[in-house]
Amino acid sequence: MAAAAAMAALCRRLPGALRLSGARPGPTAAGLPGLTLNLFHKNLAKVEPLHQLKFLHTSLSRKGLEEFFDDPRNWGEKSVKSGDAWNIKHLRGKSSEDLHKLWYVLLKEKNMLLTLEQESKRQLRPMPSPERLKKVEKSMKNIDLVVREREIALRLLQTGHEKPAPGEWRHDFLGRTYWYTYKEWPIPWYLNKKYKKRKFYYLPHVNHFIRLRLEKSLRRRARRQNLEKTRQKVLERKFPHLAVKSQSQ
Amino acid sequence: MAARVKKAVYPLYQLGGPQLRIFRPNFFMLAVRPGVPQPEDTVQFRVSMEMTKVDIKNYLEKIYNVPVAAVRTRIQYGANNKRDHKNRRVKKPDYKVAYVQLGQGQTFQFPNLFPEKEQDAETRSFDDFRNKYMETEQQRQKGDPRRGGVPDWFGF
């Protein structure tokens, strides 16, 4: 019993030891040691780093946990300069490989900024340039959009379907219509108790409320359109010289 | 209507199925200064709630190239007893804390991200200006120095 336990402990420790001491050779720095790809700071013209990429071989970064923190020269500064967020139009021109790499660059930048934010809260100091976080998040959302567009285009060409998962239009118990996506289950629907409790139909008494909802949406639309028209009229009265000239010969 | 982030749907795993691989992970991970002193090889992180110990290990090894020996996680419950001006309870968000022990004998010390820096001429001049203004204001507020600090609404 004791022998078996000892044996089990040994077996558990052995692969761990092998893993720790194991030869996972670090990436050899083949590129120039002095060059660091400054893809974080987007104020550098987006054209510039690409020119550099063409001529020089980029090395894998040797930094480990340092990437959770900013450049040490920026520690203690009141504000750090940074360029604009990546625009969708610029991202659409990049290859998928470039977008993949940019995603990870932005992810590491976001982690760094979140670390800085938390530390500034802890030290009760203002975070230098918090707008960088918003820019990074916007860029990541844009990359996601571009990749999704490309996926949809490919899928349409290959299969003819737009959405990754099949679905259908269904009603809910309040009479609203929505797109239901099929989910993956290990059991069929007639064995799924939670699914059988869901109601994808509505009873006749709900028709009255559907009518009311329809009226409300129509009223809101009419109000919105009237508001826009009145605003337009006010502007035309104030700035008659800027009015859109109707067809006049 | 703000665009809410939809919970990512992953394919169902059944025995013999393919390993799930995520190509553009949207999980954040931030390093925090430990509140309680930790051993030298331990780094404390706040991670996204959906990450597991294996996920954290792979994340650090693949993306940051940091050797990881062990990971321990816990979920910190955010308190819900503060109230706003309408007496509604305000919840502090929950978060997951990960204690990562580095491999290959590496150690880590959380750095000081706000060192005292010498102020440049602009901030120095602004501080001087502000101090001088405060001094003049206080001089004006003070009453007659002959009264020895006694306020002037006393007496006749």
Side-chain angles (χ1 to χ4, degrees):
Chain A
M1 181 68 182
M7 192 62 188
L10 191 74
C11 286
R12 246 179 281 128
R13 248 182 272 130
L14 195 60
L18 282 173
R19 235 182 289 132
L20 285 173
S21 67
R24 205 191 303 122
T28 47
L32 292 189
L35 175 75
T36 43
L37 258 194
N38 249 331
L39 281 169
F40 298 151
H41 298 291
K42 298 159 224 109
N43 61 345
L44 294 181
K46 282 160 231 145
V47 187
E48 233 181 291
L50 286 183
H51 284 330
Q52 289 169 342
L53 274 171
K54 258 193 256 173
F55 299 116
L56 303 156
H57 169 60
T58 54
S59 62
L60 290 158
S61 175
R62 285 245 188 213
K63 310 177 238 170
L65 290 169
E66 296 167 11
E67 286 181 308
F68 276 105
F69 309 103
D70 207 356
D71 196 1
R73 289 171 290 190
N74 289 337
W75 293 358
E77 294 286 334
K78 291 266 175 73
S79 66
V80 179
K81 274 203 246 182
S82 64
D84 200 11
W86 283 88
N87 201 354
I88 297 193
K89 293 182 200 156
H90 299 292
L91 289 169
R92 281 203 185 110
K94 301 280 177 255
S95 70
S96 299
E97 210 182 289
D98 277 340
L99 286 182
H100 192 81
K101 289 180 191 167
L102 185 60
W103 176 271
Y104 285 100
V105 167
L106 287 171
L107 184 69
K108 287 202 241 189
E109 179 77 0
K110 184 166 150 189
N111 286 347
M112 183 271 284
L113 292 170
L114 285 170
T115 315
L116 188 57
E117 198 185 8
Q118 185 55 41
E119 181 64 14
S120 60
K121 281 188 199 166
R122 179 71 83 88
Q123 302 294 339
L124 303 171
R125 299 269 201 123
M127 177 188 171
S129 324
E131 70 270 3
R132 293 183 281 174
L133 248 179
K134 284 202 194 147
K135 287 180 195 169
V136 166
E137 278 176 13
K138 205 170 110 181
S139 310
M140 287 176 95
K141 220 196 287 186
N142 288 345
I143 293 183
D144 204 27
L145 266 171
V146 170
V147 169
R148 218 180 295 166
E149 278 176 11
R150 289 184 187 177
E151 273 178 3
I152 291 177
L154 258 177
R155 206 182 296 123
L156 272 174
L157 284 169
Q158 287 174 340
T159 57
H161 300 122
E162 198 188 299
K163 298 202 193 349
E168 59 178 4
W169 290 103
R170 283 195 190 173
H171 295 289
D172 63 359
F173 71 108
L174 290 175
R176 296 177 293 204
T177 318
Y178 68 102
W179 181 260
Y180 173 79
T181 322
Y182 292 131
K183 316 264 185 308
E184 282 188 88
W185 298 94
I187 42 170
W189 69 268
Y190 47 85
L191 296 176
N192 197 341
K193 281 194 212 164
K194 227 168 56 160
Y195 178 86
K196 283 198 283 191
K197 284 197 194 125
R198 287 183 75 174
K199 293 208 273 285
F200 295 108
Y201 55 89
Y202 57 92
L203 299 175
H205 72 92
V206 176
N207 290 327
H208 170 61
F209 298 102
I210 295 176
R211 169 80 190 215
L212 290 177
R213 220 183 293 137
L214 184 69
E215 287 174 8
K216 181 175 178 179
S217 70
L218 288 172
R219 243 179 267 135
R220 264 176 51 186
R221 199 194 326 156
R223 248 186 277 147
R224 216 179 332 129
Q225 284 168 350
N226 283 340
L227 182 68
E228 267 187 53
K229 278 195 204 140
T230 35
R231 289 241 164 101
Q232 198 67 19
K233 283 209 185 99
V234 163
L235 283 174
E236 277 177 21
R237 198 169 18 96
K238 278 194 185 171
F239 309 106
H241 55 285
L242 291 172
V244 173
K245 289 188 187 60
S246 50
Q247 285 183 7
S248 55
Q249 277 277 315
Chain B
M1 212 158 56
R4 220 180 293 163
V5 175
K6 272 189 245 183
K7 201 178 113 179
V9 181
Y10 300 116
L12 186 70
Y13 174 78
Q14 284 171 307
L15 196 68
Q19 167 75 54
L20 169 69
R21 275 160 231 285
I22 303 174
F23 283 110
R24 284 171 305 112
N26 203 359
F27 307 121
F28 67 86
M29 203 151 125
L30 52 126
V32 293
R33 185 186 289 274
V36 176
Q38 298 284 335
E40 277 170 13
D41 60 345
T42 306
V43 194
Q44 193 169 333
F45 292 101
R46 277 196 198 180
V47 300
S48 170
M49 287 286 262
E50 305 105 18
M51 292 184 87
T52 54
K53 293 181 186 178
V54 177
D55 283 335
I56 294 168
K57 187 169 154 81
N58 288 341
Y59 192 103
L60 281 173
E61 284 181 345
K62 303 269 164 65
I63 302 182
Y64 282 91
N65 201 17
V66 169
V68 169
V71 182
R72 295 183 295 275
T73 57
R74 66 176 176 94
I75 296 188
Q76 175 60 54
Y77 168 74
N80 200 6
N81 33 20
K82 293 274 189 227
R83 302 248 175 185
D84 64 356
H85 62 282
K86 291 190 181 174
N87 209 30
R88 294 183 290 209
R89 274 189 292 184
V90 178
K91 161 104 180 137
K92 290 194 178 139
D94 302 330
Y95 54 89
K96 194 178 245 189
V97 181
Y99 301 92
V100 174
Q101 283 190 302
L102 302 170
Q104 292 169 14
Q106 288 186 8
T107 56
F108 179 77
Q109 201 55 32
F110 199 89
N112 177 20
L113 294 178
F114 296 96
E116 286 301 320
K117 279 225 172 134
E118 52 177 64
Q119 295 173 330
D120 59 328
E122 203 189 313
T123 38
R124 246 181 285 136
S125 64
F126 177 70
D127 280 342
D128 287 338
F129 178 75
R130 197 174 42 178
N131 290 340
K132 264 192 234 139
Y133 178 75
M134 293 306 290
E135 275 174 30
T136 44
E137 277 295 312
Q138 276 163 7
Q139 277 296 318
R140 225 177 332 133
Q141 294 287 335
K142 269 205 187 111
D144 197 353
R146 294 173 291 183
R147 286 174 66 87
V150 178
D152 53 1
W153 40 263
F154 263 127
F156 328 102

